[in-house]
Amino acid sequence: MSGTVRGAYAEIDARHLGKSFHRRGSGKAAVNDISMKVTSASAIGIVGESGSGKSTLVRMMCGLLEPTDGTVAYNGAALPGVLSTRGGRREFRSRIQYVAQDTTSSFDPRRTLRDAVRLPVQRLLGMDTETANVRVDETLASLELDPSMADRYPAEVSGGQRQRFSIARALGVKPRILLCDEVVSALDVSVQGAILNMLKSYCAAEDCGLVFVSHGLPATAFIADDIVVMRSGVIVEQGTTDDVVERPQDPYTEQLLEAYRGLDEVEQLAVAAAR
Ligand SMILES: Nc1ncnc2c1ncn2[C@@H]1O[C@H](COP(=O)(O)OP(=O)(O)O)[C@@H](O)[C@H]1O
Ligand SMILES: [Mg+2]
């Protein structure tokens, strides 16, 4: 796998994935027989109410959680094998990055935001501090983040700023696929719009694949070309964003759309402004 060119095509192919947190045979599976392929050219949204299995699915797709059933392949190679060597782990972690909603626990309170963004660059790309700092500045600039803010500690910035830096930390290594798990869900609607715009333009400019996970349809429809709707651990509908939003086939998608239509005026304005 060494020898692949940076910026090259990457894909994660999940087949018949299942995850049960119970002992075999007891209780319902969190994810049940889901197959999905995402690539560096994808902009896929995974939407579904809380508890539908979205996080469990994407965490298996990026090697953070072991499936009970099924397989995940990265560029054609089975993930356990890829992750069993140091080189394989390094390549995978530099190409596939995961960003979660909770930014309070994911930053070391004793390190500045700059250090937080720089460390994975050094560790995964093998850069020295000086070169890595240049890369950090590039990343902050491409995300229109104020570089002076990077000298602060995580607790000294707002939740929205911290979330931007957690995205910067993932993008610093120039991943080929970014998986965002509810990254805007805890934020004000206006901040959501700004972050969605930031993500969308970055991924378009850098040719980076995106898997955007959210319980909300508006944000997902704004950012994704294709949408997968999950409920109770299975896919109930999938298609292009236009098809899913304009011509939903499943009653559950209809329900999610009703919530979309039920947004209050301020939220609709913010969603529209983000377009
Ligand atoms: N570590 C865990 N241990 C036990 N149950 C879990 C664990 N993680 C998730 N679950 C359960 O799996 C189901 C799906 O959860 P999750 O993937 O977090 O859904 P979503 O991200 O869509 O909200 C839920 O019923 C949840 O309680
Ligand atoms: Mg989740």
Side-chain angles (χ1 to χ4, degrees):
M1 229 162 302
S2 55
T4 7
V5 184
R6 186 143 276 289
Y9 176 82
E11 70 168 43
I12 302 172
D13 192 6
R15 300 228 181 129
H16 305 295
L17 277 190
K19 181 72 186 181
S20 177
F21 292 104
H22 311 280
R23 258 178 300 161
R24 263 185 199 281
S26 70
K28 239 178 118 296
V31 166
N32 191 3
D33 196 14
I34 288 189
S35 296
M36 186 188 303
K37 190 192 267 191
V38 301
T39 79
S40 42
S42 310
I44 292 184
I46 300 178
V47 65
E49 67 194 357
S50 175
S52 53
K54 307 180 297 295
S55 295
T56 303
L57 173 66
V58 291
R59 290 172 62 82
M60 289 192 284
M61 292 176 80
C62 61
L64 294 173
L65 190 65
E66 217 171 299
T68 316
D69 295 293
T71 55
V72 179
Y74 164 68
N75 287 357
L79 209 50
V82 173
L83 297 176
S84 69
T85 68
R86 211 167 148 210
R89 271 197 302 278
R90 234 163 100 151
E91 162 155 352
F92 184 76
R93 296 280 170 236
S94 69
R95 301 282 166 87
I96 311 298
Q97 280 280 326
Y98 173 80
V99 185
Q101 172 176 339
D102 180 18
T103 57
T104 39
S105 66
S106 73
F107 281 99
D108 181 341
R110 294 158 305 177
R111 288 192 203 284
T112 63
L113 293 164
R114 168 173 291 279
D115 286 348
V117 178
R118 197 191 67 234
L119 287 173
V121 174
Q122 285 192 254
R123 203 176 313 128
L124 293 172
L125 304 186
M127 290 180 175
D128 59 37
T129 309
E130 205 180 322
T131 321
N133 266 322
V134 174
R135 175 65 200 139
V136 171
D137 288 329
E138 249 173 52
T139 309
L140 298 183
S142 71
L143 298 175
E144 291 178 28
L145 274 168
D146 178 359
S148 70
M149 196 169 274
D151 297 325
R152 298 196 196 167
Y153 289 88
E156 297 174 339
V157 299
S158 69
Q161 292 296 348
R162 208 160 41 238
Q163 188 57 278
R164 283 175 226 242
F165 275 95
S166 77
I167 293 168
R169 178 175 56 183
L171 294 178
V173 299
K174 290 203 183 185
R176 304 302 303 131
I177 302 175
L178 180 71
L179 299 105
C180 288
D181 192 353
E182 306 269 15
V183 291
V184 297
S185 305
L187 304 171
D188 286 350
V189 176
S190 61
V191 180
Q192 287 194 19
I195 292 185
L196 291 173
N197 271 326
M198 175 184 107
L199 269 176
K200 196 173 184 170
S201 49
Y202 178 92
C203 289
E206 297 289 326
D207 245 346
C208 176
L210 178 68
V211 179
F212 185 85
V213 176
S214 174
H215 62 268
L217 198 52
T220 312
F222 168 70
I223 209 159
D225 298 331
D226 297 282
I227 290 185
V228 168
V229 182
M230 279 183 73
R231 186 181 201 187
S232 306
V234 299
I235 294 178
V236 293
E237 175 152 5
Q238 64 190 120
T240 65
T241 299
D242 284 349
D243 279 349
V244 170
V245 171
E246 305 294 332
R247 291 169 288 278
Q249 301 297 310
D250 191 272
Y252 177 63
T253 311
E254 276 283 13
Q255 268 179 45
L256 291 174
L257 281 167
E258 287 305 321
Y260 188 3
R261 293 183 189 115
L263 283 183
D264 71 31
E265 216 174 313
V266 178
E267 287 176 324
Q268 288 193 3
L269 272 175
V271 171
R275 279 183 188 275

